[in-house]
Amino acid sequence: MTDAQVSCEISEPRMVTRKFLARPQHEGVGAIVRRSIGRFELRYFDPFLALDEFSVTAPAGFPDHPHRGFETVTYMLQGSMTHEDFEGQKGIIGPGDVQWMTAGRGIVHSEMPASQGTQKGLQLWINLSSKQKMIEPKYQEISGKDIAEATEDGINVRVIAGEALGAKSPIYTRTPTMYLDFTLKPGAHLQQPIPTSWNAFVYVLEGEGVFGIPQSSPVTTHHLLLLGHGDGVEAWNRSTKPLRFILVGGEPLGEPVVQLGPFVMNTQEEIDRTIYDFDNCINGFEKARHWRRSDF
Ligand code: FJE
Ligand code: FE
C-alpha cells in the first residue's frame, strides 16, 4: 500500500453513540417539522442548535420572525421557498438549492412556500462564536446545479460545505463545518474522514443504512445518529434500495449558550439586551420598524 492510500483510511472509526427518531411537530404557522437537534432531549450538539426536516404547504409557512447570534442553512429537497428580509432582499430557493444565512446581529425575515404542493427541506442552525454573534448579516446562496458533486464506487456526494471524494464547496463557514449529502447504491461502502476534534452526526433521508460498525442494525429515515470519538465514519448500504443521508460535522465552540427561540447568545444579559434591541428596532434591527413582507 502506498502512503497516499494509508492517509485516506480511517484508523479509528466513529461509533453511533445515540439515536433519535424525529417525530413531526407543529412549527411556524401551520408548518410541520421533524426536529432532531434542538428538541428537549437534545437541546444542543455543539455547535449545532437545531436540525429541522420541514414540510410546508401554502398557506402555511414561517412568516416574519427575527434571528440573532447564529446561522441558518436551508437545503431544499422538494418544491421552493421564498425568503424575504427586512432589507428588501428577496429570493426563491428551489429543489437542490442551498441558502446559508448568517443572521449575525440581526435579520427579520419570512420563509414561505413559493410553489404549489408540499415544500420539503432541511434547516440547520449553526451557532456563532461570541466574537461573531454581532457581525453584519450575510447570505451565501448556491444553486443546486452549482453544488460540487462527486461519484465513486456506488457513492454519490453533494458537497454543501467542506470537501469529500475530491469535491469542494465554495461556502465560507464561520464556525468550521462540513455538510455532505450522500447517496449510496445497494452494496456500497463509504469511509469518510471527519476531523477528530469535531462533533458529527448523520440524518437519514431515504432508505436504510448501517453506520459505525458493520454489526450494527440498519437505521431508517428520520433518524438522527450522533457519532462518538474517532477520525471518520463508515456506512454500508446492505439493502436493495438507494440510501440517502446527510453527514454534518462542526468544530465545537465550547461556549455557554443562552437561547430564547430565535435569539442565541452567551449570557442572559445579552438575551435581555437582544429583546430590548428588537422591541426598539435598534442595534441591527433598525429596518424592522417599517418592514412588512410584500404579500401580507
Ligand atoms: C420558527 C423561530 C424560527 N424551523 N425550518 C421560531 F426561526 C422559526 C422558523 C423555522 C424554520 C424555517 C424554515 Cl424555512 C425551515 C424551520 C423553524 O422560521 F418556526 C419559530 N417558531
Ligand atoms: Fe428564519
Side-chain angles (χ1 to χ4, degrees), residues 38-78:
R39 62 204 251 169
F40 176 75
E41 306 93 305
L42 182 60
R43 285 302 306 155
Y44 186 49
F45 187 53
D46 195 1
F48 305 109
L49 294 154
L51 178 66
D52 282 356
E53 181 184 359
F54 62 88
S55 180
V56 194
T57 311
F62 304 92
D64 306 7
H65 60 276
H67 293 274
R68 176 183 275 184
F70 62 101
E71 302 187 303
T72 66
V73 180
T74 309
Y75 182 31
M76 292 304 300
L77 300 173
Q78 175 190 309

mmCIF file of all heavy atoms in Angstrom, residues 38-78:
data_model
loop_
_atom_site.group_PDB
_atom_site.id
_atom_site.type_symbol
_atom_site.label_atom_id
_atom_site.label_comp_id
_atom_site.label_asym_id
_atom_site.label_seq_id
_atom_site.Cartn_x
_atom_site.Cartn_y
_atom_site.Cartn_z
ATOM 1 N N GLY A 38 -32.164 20.194 18.984
ATOM 2 C CA GLY A 38 -32.949 21.349 19.404
ATOM 3 C C GLY A 38 -34.194 20.960 20.175
ATOM 4 O O GLY A 38 -34.875 21.810 20.726
ATOM 5 N N ARG A 39 -34.503 19.638 20.198
ATOM 6 C CA ARG A 39 -35.638 19.207 20.995
ATOM 7 C C ARG A 39 -35.199 19.022 22.444
ATOM 8 O O ARG A 39 -34.012 19.114 22.759
ATOM 9 C CB ARG A 39 -36.182 17.900 20.430
ATOM 10 C CG ARG A 39 -35.155 16.793 20.505
ATOM 11 C CD ARG A 39 -35.433 15.733 19.496
ATOM 12 N NE ARG A 39 -35.901 14.519 20.132
ATOM 13 C CZ ARG A 39 -36.428 13.496 19.446
ATOM 14 N NH1 ARG A 39 -36.569 13.594 18.134
ATOM 15 N NH2 ARG A 39 -36.805 12.430 20.064
ATOM 16 N N PHE A 40 -36.184 18.751 23.304
ATOM 17 C CA PHE A 40 -35.937 18.694 24.741
ATOM 18 C C PHE A 40 -34.786 17.743 25.103
ATOM 19 O O PHE A 40 -33.895 18.087 25.878
ATOM 20 C CB PHE A 40 -37.230 18.302 25.464
ATOM 21 C CG PHE A 40 -37.048 18.117 26.929
ATOM 22 C CD1 PHE A 40 -36.894 19.213 27.777
ATOM 23 C CD2 PHE A 40 -36.996 16.839 27.483
ATOM 24 C CE1 PHE A 40 -36.710 19.041 29.133
ATOM 25 C CE2 PHE A 40 -36.808 16.661 28.841
ATOM 26 C CZ PHE A 40 -36.661 17.763 29.660
ATOM 27 N N GLU A 41 -34.790 16.538 24.529
ATOM 28 C CA GLU A 41 -33.788 15.523 24.888
ATOM 29 C C GLU A 41 -32.403 15.829 24.336
ATOM 30 O O GLU A 41 -31.422 15.185 24.730
ATOM 31 C CB GLU A 41 -34.205 14.133 24.362
ATOM 32 C CG GLU A 41 -35.577 13.670 24.753
ATOM 33 C CD GLU A 41 -36.624 14.022 23.697
ATOM 34 O OE1 GLU A 41 -36.745 15.222 23.328
ATOM 35 O OE2 GLU A 41 -37.330 13.120 23.246
ATOM 36 N N LEU A 42 -32.327 16.752 23.391
ATOM 37 C CA LEU A 42 -31.044 17.081 22.765
ATOM 38 C C LEU A 42 -31.039 18.577 22.434
ATOM 39 O O LEU A 42 -31.171 18.978 21.280
ATOM 40 C CB LEU A 42 -30.854 16.235 21.487
ATOM 41 C CG LEU A 42 -29.554 16.396 20.709
ATOM 42 C CD1 LEU A 42 -28.337 16.035 21.553
ATOM 43 C CD2 LEU A 42 -29.576 15.540 19.442
ATOM 44 N N ARG A 43 -30.911 19.387 23.490
ATOM 45 C CA ARG A 43 -31.019 20.839 23.344
ATOM 46 C C ARG A 43 -29.950 21.394 22.402
ATOM 47 O O ARG A 43 -30.200 22.306 21.629
ATOM 48 C CB ARG A 43 -30.873 21.525 24.713
ATOM 49 C CG ARG A 43 -32.078 21.414 25.615
ATOM 50 C CD ARG A 43 -33.352 21.974 25.012
ATOM 51 N NE ARG A 43 -33.234 23.350 24.551
ATOM 52 C CZ ARG A 43 -33.981 23.889 23.606
ATOM 53 N NH1 ARG A 43 -34.906 23.176 23.002
ATOM 54 N NH2 ARG A 43 -33.811 25.149 23.257
ATOM 55 N N TYR A 44 -28.743 20.854 22.513
ATOM 56 C CA TYR A 44 -27.611 21.451 21.805
ATOM 57 C C TYR A 44 -26.595 20.364 21.525
ATOM 58 O O TYR A 44 -26.308 19.532 22.396
ATOM 59 C CB TYR A 44 -26.996 22.538 22.702
ATOM 60 C CG TYR A 44 -25.896 23.376 22.075
ATOM 61 C CD1 TYR A 44 -26.059 23.950 20.827
ATOM 62 C CD2 TYR A 44 -24.710 23.615 22.760
ATOM 63 C CE1 TYR A 44 -25.056 24.737 20.267
ATOM 64 C CE2 TYR A 44 -23.705 24.403 22.212
ATOM 65 C CZ TYR A 44 -23.889 24.961 20.965
ATOM 66 O OH TYR A 44 -22.899 25.735 20.418
ATOM 67 N N PHE A 45 -26.066 20.338 20.309
ATOM 68 C CA PHE A 45 -24.968 19.440 19.971
ATOM 69 C C PHE A 45 -23.909 20.342 19.361
ATOM 70 O O PHE A 45 -23.870 20.540 18.153
ATOM 71 C CB PHE A 45 -25.461 18.354 19.001
ATOM 72 C CG PHE A 45 -24.448 17.276 18.704
ATOM 73 C CD1 PHE A 45 -23.811 16.579 19.726
ATOM 74 C CD2 PHE A 45 -24.158 16.932 17.389
ATOM 75 C CE1 PHE A 45 -22.885 15.587 19.445
ATOM 76 C CE2 PHE A 45 -23.229 15.938 17.101
ATOM 77 C CZ PHE A 45 -22.591 15.270 18.133
ATOM 78 N N ASP A 46 -23.142 20.949 20.219
ATOM 79 C CA ASP A 46 -22.161 21.995 19.910
ATOM 80 C C ASP A 46 -21.401 21.724 18.602
ATOM 81 O O ASP A 46 -20.747 20.682 18.515
ATOM 82 C CB ASP A 46 -21.186 22.062 21.102
ATOM 83 C CG ASP A 46 -20.334 23.313 21.109
ATOM 84 O OD1 ASP A 46 -20.483 24.162 20.215
ATOM 85 O OD2 ASP A 46 -19.490 23.426 22.029
ATOM 86 N N PRO A 47 -21.454 22.607 17.592
ATOM 87 C CA PRO A 47 -22.059 23.941 17.525
ATOM 88 C C PRO A 47 -23.476 23.962 16.925
ATOM 89 O O PRO A 47 -23.920 25.025 16.490
ATOM 90 C CB PRO A 47 -21.095 24.687 16.575
ATOM 91 C CG PRO A 47 -20.732 23.627 15.573
ATOM 92 C CD PRO A 47 -20.697 22.315 16.352
ATOM 93 N N PHE A 48 -24.172 22.832 16.920
ATOM 94 C CA PHE A 48 -25.473 22.794 16.237
ATOM 95 C C PHE A 48 -26.627 23.006 17.214
ATOM 96 O O PHE A 48 -26.735 22.325 18.231
ATOM 97 C CB PHE A 48 -25.621 21.474 15.467
ATOM 98 C CG PHE A 48 -24.481 21.243 14.519
ATOM 99 C CD1 PHE A 48 -23.525 20.264 14.759
ATOM 100 C CD2 PHE A 48 -24.321 22.058 13.404
ATOM 101 C CE1 PHE A 48 -22.446 20.088 13.910
ATOM 102 C CE2 PHE A 48 -23.245 21.890 12.546
ATOM 103 C CZ PHE A 48 -22.299 20.897 12.794
ATOM 104 N N LEU A 49 -27.491 23.954 16.864
ATOM 105 C CA LEU A 49 -28.608 24.355 17.725
ATOM 106 C C LEU A 49 -29.903 23.661 17.346
ATOM 107 O O LEU A 49 -30.757 23.436 18.204
ATOM 108 C CB LEU A 49 -28.821 25.872 17.601
ATOM 109 C CG LEU A 49 -27.689 26.742 18.137
ATOM 110 C CD1 LEU A 49 -27.682 28.095 17.428
ATOM 111 C CD2 LEU A 49 -27.833 26.921 19.638
ATOM 112 N N ALA A 50 -30.078 23.384 16.075
ATOM 113 C CA ALA A 50 -31.325 22.765 15.622
ATOM 114 C C ALA A 50 -31.126 22.113 14.266
ATOM 115 O O ALA A 50 -30.320 22.571 13.449
ATOM 116 C CB ALA A 50 -32.445 23.814 15.522
ATOM 117 N N LEU A 51 -31.854 21.023 14.055
ATOM 118 C CA LEU A 51 -31.987 20.439 12.720
ATOM 119 C C LEU A 51 -33.461 20.114 12.520
ATOM 120 O O LEU A 51 -34.024 19.299 13.257
ATOM 121 C CB LEU A 51 -31.155 19.163 12.565
ATOM 122 C CG LEU A 51 -31.315 18.489 11.188
ATOM 123 C CD1 LEU A 51 -30.746 19.347 10.063
ATOM 124 C CD2 LEU A 51 -30.675 17.104 11.160
ATOM 125 N N ASP A 52 -34.083 20.796 11.580
ATOM 126 C CA ASP A 52 -35.498 20.571 11.262
ATOM 127 C C ASP A 52 -35.618 20.023 9.852
ATOM 128 O O ASP A 52 -35.079 20.608 8.901
ATOM 129 C CB ASP A 52 -36.300 21.890 11.319
ATOM 130 C CG ASP A 52 -36.620 22.322 12.748
ATOM 131 O OD1 ASP A 52 -36.298 21.581 13.694
ATOM 132 O OD2 ASP A 52 -37.202 23.416 12.894
ATOM 133 N N GLU A 53 -36.344 18.906 9.711
ATOM 134 C CA GLU A 53 -36.747 18.434 8.385
ATOM 135 C C GLU A 53 -38.158 18.983 8.219
ATOM 136 O O GLU A 53 -39.067 18.560 8.925
ATOM 137 C CB GLU A 53 -36.730 16.897 8.347
ATOM 138 C CG GLU A 53 -37.112 16.340 6.986
ATOM 139 C CD GLU A 53 -37.201 14.800 6.979
ATOM 140 O OE1 GLU A 53 -36.949 14.142 8.004
ATOM 141 O OE2 GLU A 53 -37.555 14.270 5.911
ATOM 142 N N PHE A 54 -38.336 19.973 7.327
ATOM 143 C CA PHE A 54 -39.624 20.659 7.271
ATOM 144 C C PHE A 54 -40.472 20.215 6.085
ATOM 145 O O PHE A 54 -39.962 19.720 5.077
ATOM 146 C CB PHE A 54 -39.447 22.184 7.274
ATOM 147 C CG PHE A 54 -38.682 22.732 6.091
ATOM 148 C CD1 PHE A 54 -39.337 23.072 4.913
ATOM 149 C CD2 PHE A 54 -37.316 22.929 6.162
ATOM 150 C CE1 PHE A 54 -38.637 23.590 3.826
ATOM 151 C CE2 PHE A 54 -36.608 23.444 5.083
ATOM 152 C CZ PHE A 54 -37.268 23.763 3.912
ATOM 153 N N SER A 55 -41.779 20.411 6.258
ATOM 154 C CA SER A 55 -42.756 20.063 5.249
ATOM 155 C C SER A 55 -43.837 21.144 5.303
ATOM 156 O O SER A 55 -44.496 21.292 6.333
ATOM 157 C CB SER A 55 -43.325 18.684 5.594
ATOM 158 O OG SER A 55 -44.279 18.306 4.655
ATOM 159 N N VAL A 56 -43.940 21.932 4.240
ATOM 160 C CA VAL A 56 -44.806 23.117 4.271
ATOM 161 C C VAL A 56 -45.667 23.192 3.017
ATOM 162 O O VAL A 56 -45.156 23.103 1.904
ATOM 163 C CB VAL A 56 -43.966 24.422 4.333
ATOM 164 C CG1 VAL A 56 -44.832 25.602 4.695
ATOM 165 C CG2 VAL A 56 -42.811 24.311 5.296
ATOM 166 N N THR A 57 -46.964 23.371 3.213
ATOM 167 C CA THR A 57 -47.895 23.550 2.100
ATOM 168 C C THR A 57 -48.637 24.861 2.314
ATOM 169 O O THR A 57 -49.164 25.087 3.404
ATOM 170 C CB THR A 57 -48.901 22.371 2.059
ATOM 171 O OG1 THR A 57 -48.173 21.148 2.151
ATOM 172 C CG2 THR A 57 -49.716 22.382 0.788
ATOM 173 N N ALA A 58 -48.675 25.731 1.279
ATOM 174 C CA ALA A 58 -49.352 27.028 1.398
ATOM 175 C C ALA A 58 -50.792 26.805 1.869
ATOM 176 O O ALA A 58 -51.400 25.805 1.474
ATOM 177 C CB ALA A 58 -49.339 27.744 0.045
ATOM 178 N N PRO A 59 -51.353 27.692 2.699
ATOM 179 C CA PRO A 59 -50.794 28.979 3.146
ATOM 180 C C PRO A 59 -49.865 28.875 4.357
ATOM 181 O O PRO A 59 -49.497 29.900 4.907
ATOM 182 C CB PRO A 59 -52.057 29.771 3.504
ATOM 183 C CG PRO A 59 -53.009 28.726 4.014
ATOM 184 C CD PRO A 59 -52.714 27.479 3.228
ATOM 185 N N ALA A 60 -49.501 27.662 4.772
ATOM 186 C CA ALA A 60 -48.599 27.532 5.924
ATOM 187 C C ALA A 60 -47.213 28.066 5.575
ATOM 188 O O ALA A 60 -46.859 28.192 4.400
ATOM 189 C CB ALA A 60 -48.500 26.065 6.339
ATOM 190 N N GLY A 61 -46.447 28.376 6.589
ATOM 191 C CA GLY A 61 -45.078 28.851 6.356
ATOM 192 C C GLY A 61 -44.481 29.423 7.623
ATOM 193 O O GLY A 61 -44.964 29.155 8.729
ATOM 194 N N PHE A 62 -43.423 30.194 7.423
ATOM 195 C CA PHE A 62 -42.721 30.799 8.549
ATOM 196 C C PHE A 62 -42.709 32.312 8.321
ATOM 197 O O PHE A 62 -41.739 32.872 7.819
ATOM 198 C CB PHE A 62 -41.294 30.241 8.653
ATOM 199 C CG PHE A 62 -41.240 28.734 8.763
ATOM 200 C CD1 PHE A 62 -41.122 27.931 7.628
ATOM 201 C CD2 PHE A 62 -41.340 28.105 10.002
ATOM 202 C CE1 PHE A 62 -41.082 26.544 7.726
ATOM 203 C CE2 PHE A 62 -41.303 26.715 10.109
ATOM 204 C CZ PHE A 62 -41.170 25.936 8.973
ATOM 205 N N PRO A 63 -43.854 32.995 8.631
ATOM 206 C CA PRO A 63 -43.929 34.434 8.418
ATOM 207 C C PRO A 63 -42.971 35.190 9.337
ATOM 208 O O PRO A 63 -42.337 34.584 10.204
ATOM 209 C CB PRO A 63 -45.391 34.762 8.716
ATOM 210 C CG PRO A 63 -45.908 33.634 9.532
ATOM 211 C CD PRO A 63 -45.094 32.426 9.177
ATOM 212 N N ASP A 64 -42.926 36.532 9.127
ATOM 213 C CA ASP A 64 -41.965 37.424 9.798
ATOM 214 C C ASP A 64 -41.490 36.969 11.184
ATOM 215 O O ASP A 64 -42.288 36.875 12.111
ATOM 216 C CB ASP A 64 -42.588 38.817 9.979
ATOM 217 C CG ASP A 64 -43.087 39.386 8.659
ATOM 218 O OD1 ASP A 64 -43.075 38.646 7.653
ATOM 219 O OD2 ASP A 64 -43.478 40.558 8.648
ATOM 220 N N HIS A 65 -40.199 36.738 11.278
ATOM 221 C CA HIS A 65 -39.590 36.403 12.570
ATOM 222 C C HIS A 65 -38.124 36.822 12.549
ATOM 223 O O HIS A 65 -37.516 36.896 11.489
ATOM 224 C CB HIS A 65 -39.722 34.905 12.869
ATOM 225 C CG HIS A 65 -39.051 34.044 11.822
ATOM 226 N ND1 HIS A 65 -39.661 33.686 10.656
ATOM 227 C CD2 HIS A 65 -37.819 33.498 11.779
ATOM 228 C CE1 HIS A 65 -38.837 32.952 9.932
ATOM 229 N NE2 HIS A 65 -37.701 32.820 10.589
ATOM 230 N N PRO A 66 -37.562 37.119 13.711
ATOM 231 C CA PRO A 66 -36.162 37.577 13.790
ATOM 232 C C PRO A 66 -35.181 36.435 14.061
ATOM 233 O O PRO A 66 -35.589 35.321 14.408
ATOM 234 C CB PRO A 66 -36.208 38.500 15.007
ATOM 235 C CG PRO A 66 -37.236 37.856 15.912
ATOM 236 C CD PRO A 66 -38.239 37.181 15.019
ATOM 237 N N HIS A 67 -33.906 36.731 13.847
ATOM 238 C CA HIS A 67 -32.813 35.838 14.267
ATOM 239 C C HIS A 67 -31.659 36.713 14.756
ATOM 240 O O HIS A 67 -31.417 37.782 14.189
ATOM 241 C CB HIS A 67 -32.262 35.016 13.088
ATOM 242 C CG HIS A 67 -33.210 34.008 12.520
ATOM 243 N ND1 HIS A 67 -33.343 32.753 13.021
ATOM 244 C CD2 HIS A 67 -34.056 34.078 11.465
ATOM 245 C CE1 HIS A 67 -34.233 32.069 12.305
ATOM 246 N NE2 HIS A 67 -34.685 32.858 11.348
ATOM 247 N N ARG A 68 -30.930 36.219 15.738
ATOM 248 C CA ARG A 68 -29.650 36.849 16.116
ATOM 249 C C ARG A 68 -28.708 35.806 16.724
ATOM 250 O O ARG A 68 -29.126 34.981 17.535
ATOM 251 C CB ARG A 68 -29.836 37.990 17.122
ATOM 252 C CG ARG A 68 -28.487 38.578 17.593
ATOM 253 C CD ARG A 68 -28.614 39.650 18.645
ATOM 254 N NE ARG A 68 -28.848 40.967 18.041
ATOM 255 C CZ ARG A 68 -28.925 42.093 18.752
ATOM 256 N NH1 ARG A 68 -28.810 42.058 20.084
ATOM 257 N NH2 ARG A 68 -29.120 43.250 18.146
ATOM 258 N N GLY A 69 -27.424 35.883 16.320
ATOM 259 C CA GLY A 69 -26.373 35.145 17.016
ATOM 260 C C GLY A 69 -25.962 33.814 16.408
ATOM 261 O O GLY A 69 -25.115 33.128 16.965
ATOM 262 N N PHE A 70 -26.563 33.446 15.261
ATOM 263 C CA PHE A 70 -26.218 32.154 14.659
ATOM 264 C C PHE A 70 -26.476 32.179 13.148
ATOM 265 O O PHE A 70 -26.789 33.231 12.581
ATOM 266 C CB PHE A 70 -26.990 31.020 15.348
ATOM 267 C CG PHE A 70 -28.488 31.115 15.228
ATOM 268 C CD1 PHE A 70 -29.177 30.347 14.314
ATOM 269 C CD2 PHE A 70 -29.210 31.988 16.036
ATOM 270 C CE1 PHE A 70 -30.560 30.421 14.207
ATOM 271 C CE2 PHE A 70 -30.595 32.068 15.938
ATOM 272 C CZ PHE A 70 -31.271 31.291 15.022
ATOM 273 N N GLU A 71 -26.299 31.026 12.497
ATOM 274 C CA GLU A 71 -26.529 30.906 11.058
ATOM 275 C C GLU A 71 -27.639 29.892 10.805
ATOM 276 O O GLU A 71 -27.783 28.927 11.563
ATOM 277 C CB GLU A 71 -25.256 30.412 10.350
ATOM 278 C CG GLU A 71 -24.051 31.295 10.573
ATOM 279 C CD GLU A 71 -22.849 30.882 9.717
ATOM 280 O OE1 GLU A 71 -22.411 29.718 9.821
ATOM 281 O OE2 GLU A 71 -22.366 31.729 8.948
ATOM 282 N N THR A 72 -28.423 30.103 9.752
ATOM 283 C CA THR A 72 -29.379 29.076 9.330
ATOM 284 C C THR A 72 -28.963 28.587 7.940
ATOM 285 O O THR A 72 -28.604 29.383 7.073
ATOM 286 C CB THR A 72 -30.832 29.589 9.265
ATOM 287 O OG1 THR A 72 -30.949 30.577 8.244
ATOM 288 C CG2 THR A 72 -31.286 30.187 10.588
ATOM 289 N N VAL A 73 -29.012 27.268 7.756
ATOM 290 C CA VAL A 73 -28.684 26.679 6.456
ATOM 291 C C VAL A 73 -29.928 25.940 5.964
ATOM 292 O O VAL A 73 -30.354 24.971 6.592
ATOM 293 C CB VAL A 73 -27.501 25.698 6.568
ATOM 294 C CG1 VAL A 73 -27.178 25.110 5.192
ATOM 295 C CG2 VAL A 73 -26.283 26.381 7.163
ATOM 296 N N THR A 74 -30.503 26.443 4.889
ATOM 297 C CA THR A 74 -31.715 25.828 4.338
ATOM 298 C C THR A 74 -31.353 25.070 3.072
ATOM 299 O O THR A 74 -30.781 25.640 2.148
ATOM 300 C CB THR A 74 -32.782 26.903 4.031
ATOM 301 O OG1 THR A 74 -32.945 27.721 5.187
ATOM 302 C CG2 THR A 74 -34.119 26.269 3.660
ATOM 303 N N TYR A 75 -31.671 23.788 3.064
ATOM 304 C CA TYR A 75 -31.340 22.916 1.935
ATOM 305 C C TYR A 75 -32.653 22.341 1.419
ATOM 306 O O TYR A 75 -33.328 21.594 2.125
ATOM 307 C CB TYR A 75 -30.402 21.808 2.420
ATOM 308 C CG TYR A 75 -29.926 20.833 1.360
ATOM 309 C CD1 TYR A 75 -29.741 21.214 0.039
ATOM 310 C CD2 TYR A 75 -29.629 19.507 1.701
ATOM 311 C CE1 TYR A 75 -29.288 20.314 -0.916
ATOM 312 C CE2 TYR A 75 -29.172 18.600 0.754
ATOM 313 C CZ TYR A 75 -29.010 19.014 -0.554
ATOM 314 O OH TYR A 75 -28.563 18.113 -1.501
ATOM 315 N N MET A 76 -33.035 22.731 0.198
ATOM 316 C CA MET A 76 -34.332 22.318 -0.351
ATOM 317 C C MET A 76 -34.246 20.920 -0.957
ATOM 318 O O MET A 76 -33.335 20.618 -1.722
ATOM 319 C CB MET A 76 -34.801 23.299 -1.429
ATOM 320 C CG MET A 76 -35.170 24.685 -0.930
ATOM 321 S SD MET A 76 -36.426 24.726 0.365
ATOM 322 C CE MET A 76 -37.820 23.956 -0.483
ATOM 323 N N LEU A 77 -35.221 20.079 -0.600
ATOM 324 C CA LEU A 77 -35.287 18.719 -1.150
ATOM 325 C C LEU A 77 -36.403 18.590 -2.185
ATOM 326 O O LEU A 77 -36.308 17.806 -3.120
ATOM 327 C CB LEU A 77 -35.510 17.707 -0.012
ATOM 328 C CG LEU A 77 -34.424 17.670 1.078
ATOM 329 C CD1 LEU A 77 -34.842 16.769 2.224
ATOM 330 C CD2 LEU A 77 -33.086 17.210 0.493
ATOM 331 N N GLN A 78 -37.459 19.371 -2.007
ATOM 332 C CA GLN A 78 -38.611 19.297 -2.915
ATOM 333 C C GLN A 78 -39.357 20.617 -2.852
ATOM 334 O O GLN A 78 -39.554 21.169 -1.768
ATOM 335 C CB GLN A 78 -39.534 18.153 -2.453
ATOM 336 C CG GLN A 78 -40.836 18.021 -3.214
ATOM 337 C CD GLN A 78 -41.786 17.044 -2.536
ATOM 338 O OE1 GLN A 78 -41.417 15.914 -2.216
ATOM 339 N NE2 GLN A 78 -43.016 17.466 -2.298
#
